[in-house]
Amino acid sequence: MASLTERSPATTRKSLSHRRALLALGGGNAVEWYDWMVYGLLASYIGPLYFPSGSSVTETMSALAVFAVGFAARPLGAIIFGTLADRIGRRAVMLFSIGSMVLSTMIIALLPSHAVIGVWAGVILLACRILQGLSTGIEAPLNSAYIVELAPEGRTARYGGIISTYVQAGIVSASLVCFLTTSVVAPDAMASWGWRIPFVVGAVGGLVFLWLRRTLPETLHTTGEKQAEPARVGRVWAEVWQHRLALLAIVFVVAGAQALQYTWTTGLPNLARSAYHENPDTVFLVSTLSGICVAALYPLVGRLADRKRISRTFIASRLAVVPLIFVVLAYQQPGMATFTVVMLVGAPVLAFTMGLYNTVAATLMPTSCRVTGVGLGYAIGVAGFGGTAPYLLLWLQDLGAGWAFPVYGAVLCLLSVLLYVLVFRRGAVRVGS
């Protein structure tokens, strides 16, 4: 086997270029998801300061409602910036995405509470979450499109797995930083100002990867589907409409993955802290361990998909996930041991659900309208089913109908498989699937 030193200079340069691109792309993605998840993890601290009501559950649910509203901005971000990315290129939009996330995260870190500026505290907080929604509305689909266009043939799922690992690293880092903060800062100080520390960490990290993304190569006009000039907006949307069944499939491919993602990363931890009053340090520690397990499995999922084909791996893994969703029914009353088991059993569920969905979604659209189509489908799926999952979990649990939530998740997963198969049979699935 040839060693690295025996490779041609051109091959070596291309390999290094891909590594740098993956670092800038994946690192920025990690920071985006760190910033996004920190709010959800700290909702039980944010609620009393910005939406005081006297009830810890109500205050947390109010903060989670703002969390859900942020998702509603994602379709708008996908529509505006997805179209722009399909017309003028990927890199400039990536820089906007991470820049707006850094700005909004720093504002949240410094935002005075309701006791200081009254109702404006909640209004500004909501505005920041909407800006973050615009940013994440384009970040994930743009990354998915970029990876499909950048990856060498036969390594699409593996590259997608690397980016998923970065995403998970951001989510795990959010849990880890929250855990370390609650371990070091006294409970009263944590409730007063300590919760701001993770937001400051995220904003500073974002500046680093904003600088690194300046050198990302452009991929819009370097794939097999070339365009002589930037596409008109009408043309981009005409192509999205032409692939409307694929768009619907993307919505549910994303919905099934994101509903589970936010159940385990946000819903269950907040249920443990606000409804069952579990120890916050332990909750963050268990969430972090679960996230590390998920991250460790992502590369294996990517390699398996490239070896067995993306389509087969997606269908088989999504169907296998359906019965595993019902493990959430085990956590119906306080108990850290049960919480730990549910979180750790959920790790492979999340790995096989989240490890492929971005790549699968990107293979459903052609290059000329990929970011717009994937972005719109992604935003609708996340806003309608991902962002609402934590609220729905707590609400159903409060009503004594906790059994309904895993049924809901199972239906989303089954619909995603059905629609994907319909698109696949029409021959519309692309890029080595």
Side-chain angles (χ1 to χ4, degrees):
M1 181 180 294
S3 66
L4 180 61
T5 57
E6 293 171 330
R7 295 177 184 175
S8 69
T11 301
T12 302
R13 283 196 300 271
K14 186 173 183 179
S15 176
L16 291 174
S17 175
H18 280 196
R19 290 178 185 177
R20 284 194 294 266
L22 286 171
L23 174 62
L25 187 69
N29 219 331
V31 169
E32 288 259 355
W33 289 108
Y34 170 94
D35 290 341
W36 185 260
M37 293 306 302
V38 157
Y39 179 96
L41 289 169
L42 296 173
S44 57
Y45 291 102
I46 293 171
L49 291 176
Y50 294 92
F51 309 102
S53 68
S55 167
S56 61
V57 174
T58 301
E59 290 165 348
T60 300
M61 290 180 69
S62 296
L64 287 175
V66 172
F67 186 68
V69 169
F71 285 88
R74 287 189 171 192
L76 184 60
I79 290 170
I80 297 174
F81 301 108
T83 306
L84 193 61
D86 282 330
R87 294 188 64 226
I88 66 171
R90 317 307 197 198
R91 184 172 55 195
V93 180
M94 287 184 190
L95 291 173
F96 164 80
S97 174
I98 194 169
S100 59
M101 181 62 82
V102 168
L103 175 63
S104 55
T105 299
M106 185 56 74
I107 291 174
I108 293 175
L110 302 175
L111 183 62
S113 68
H114 184 278
V116 178
I117 60 174
V119 69
W120 283 106
V123 171
I124 296 172
L125 182 66
L126 178 61
C128 288
R129 287 302 294 178
I130 290 174
L131 181 58
Q132 290 185 332
L134 292 172
S135 173
T136 53
I138 190 56
E139 177 72 16
L142 184 51
N143 273 264
S144 301
Y146 191 87
I147 282 299
V148 165
E149 294 161 5
L150 180 73
E153 186 175 354
R155 293 193 175 186
T156 302
R158 190 172 303 182
Y159 271 44
I162 292 172
I163 295 301
S164 294
T165 301
Y166 274 109
V167 170
Q168 192 63 27
I171 294 171
V172 169
S173 296
S175 294
L176 180 60
V177 171
C178 288
F179 166 67
L180 293 175
T181 304
T182 56
S183 298
V184 173
V185 180
D188 289 345
M190 185 70 190
S192 175
W193 58 266
W195 63 270
R196 299 178 186 273
I197 295 173
F199 286 95
V200 174
V201 171
V204 173
L207 289 174
V208 173
F209 288 101
L210 175 63
W211 181 80
L212 287 176
R213 282 192 173 186
R214 297 176 305 113
T215 59
L216 281 174
E218 181 57 62
T219 61
L220 177 59
H221 303 301
T222 58
T223 63
E225 300 173 55
K226 295 182 179 179
Q227 292 176 219
E229 59 184 24
R232 294 188 300 272
V233 173
R235 176 182 168 184
V236 171
W237 283 100
E239 290 199 39
V240 172
W241 176 249
Q242 181 182 348
H243 296 88
R244 53 190 178 275
L245 180 61
L247 175 63
L248 184 61
I250 292 170
V251 169
F252 283 96
V253 166
V254 172
Q258 292 292 327
L260 297 183
Q261 164 82 340
Y262 286 102
T263 296
W264 261 269
T265 59
T266 304
L268 286 170
N270 275 291
L271 178 67
R273 291 195 304 272
S274 64
Y276 297 154
H277 306 289
E278 309 281 15
N279 183 284
D281 291 357
T282 311
V283 170
F284 284 131
L285 177 60
V286 171
S287 298
T288 301
L289 292 175
S290 176
I292 291 172
C293 291
V294 173
L297 289 170
Y298 275 148
L300 300 178
V301 174
R303 290 191 184 96
L304 178 65
D306 280 332
R307 187 179 300 118
K308 301 295 184 181
R309 297 184 67 85
I310 295 171
S311 55
R312 293 175 184 172
T313 308
F314 168 74
I315 293 170
S317 61
R318 188 61 68 97
L319 290 176
V321 158
V322 170
L324 294 175
I325 299 172
F326 289 85
V327 72
V328 300
L329 293 179
Y331 192 50
Q332 297 290 304
Q333 58 186 3
M336 276 307 305
T338 304
F339 175 76
T340 301
V341 170
V342 170
M343 291 296 289
L344 294 181
V345 170
V349 176
L350 288 182
F352 277 92
T353 305
M354 298 294 294
L356 281 178
Y357 86 102
N358 274 322
T359 302
V360 168
T363 64
L364 292 169
M365 287 285 176
T367 302
S368 54
C369 66
R370 180 170 288 145
V371 180
T372 305
V374 175
L376 181 59
Y378 182 94
I380 294 172
V382 174
F385 304 96
T388 56
Y391 187 95
L392 186 61
L393 176 67
L394 266 69
W395 180 62
L396 289 172
Q397 194 78 0
D398 194 47
L399 290 178
W403 59 268
F405 189 83
V407 172
Y408 165 75
V411 169
L412 291 179
C413 289
L414 291 172
L415 281 174
S416 70
V417 172
L418 175 62
L419 288 166
Y420 180 81
V421 169
L422 289 175
V423 177
F424 189 87
R425 287 185 173 179
R426 290 189 175 191
V429 179
R430 297 166 175 81
V431 197
S433 291

